[in-house]
Amino acid sequence: MVHVLSSRILLRPVDPDRSRAFYGEQLGLAVQREFGEGPERGTVYFLGGGFLEVSGRAEAPAPPGPRLWLQVEDAEAAHAELRAAGVEIVRPPVKEPWGLVEMWIADPDGTPIVLVEVPADHPLRYRPGI
């Protein structure tokens, strides 16, 4: 069995500076480390239990593929904070039939990002005996 120590999502944005401004300034993700020089330098952000690396450059946005799923404590508070930071909200927070509260945004290249609140009474939080 492979013992995974950490994981990361790697994005190759069309405009690295624009993506760094989005993830670092508008979304407010903390920088774990940076490497290289110039506009195509790499920046690795903390994603809770994982990392998001923005490095290199792509000629065009990636075809449909990765989606980021970020759990937040309070979707309404995240909505207000992101709107104030100028982030375009694709869909405001909605309590889904399966009980999660989801809000949708996208990064500058259109990568879908779902911010999810897991309510206290949701089965994902249920831990028998704890």
Side-chain angles (χ1 to χ4, degrees):
M1 173 185 268
V2 175
H3 181 72
V4 177
L5 298 177
S6 71
S7 63
R8 80 181 56 207
I9 296 167
L10 173 62
L11 297 180
R12 298 235 186 258
V14 173
D15 184 338
D17 285 333
R18 180 181 68 175
S19 290
R20 271 191 284 279
F22 175 79
Y23 286 106
E25 296 167 23
Q26 290 183 291
L27 234 50
L29 297 181
V31 173
Q32 189 259 346
R33 70 184 181 94
E34 293 186 287
F35 56 92
E37 297 178 1
E40 295 179 27
R41 71 189 180 282
T43 305
V44 180
Y45 298 95
F46 284 103
L47 283 180
F51 301 100
L52 170 68
E53 180 177 326
V54 176
S55 64
R57 179 183 301 270
E59 294 300 317
R67 295 174 186 258
L68 299 179
W69 192 89
L70 305 176
Q71 185 175 342
V72 297
E73 187 174 339
D74 183 332
E76 288 294 338
H79 179 249
E81 186 176 327
L82 292 172
R83 280 188 53 177
V87 173
E88 180 183 346
I89 307 299
V90 175
R91 194 188 82 174
V94 172
K95 186 162 188 176
E96 301 290 356
W98 46 88
L100 298 175
V101 179
E102 297 184 3
M103 176 177 73
W104 302 345
I105 61 175
D107 81 358
D109 285 333
T111 301
I113 301 171
V114 181
L115 285 92
V116 178
E117 175 186 337
V118 181
D121 62 347
H122 192 275
L124 285 174
R125 288 201 183 197
Y126 177 68
R127 295 180 179 195
I130 294 179

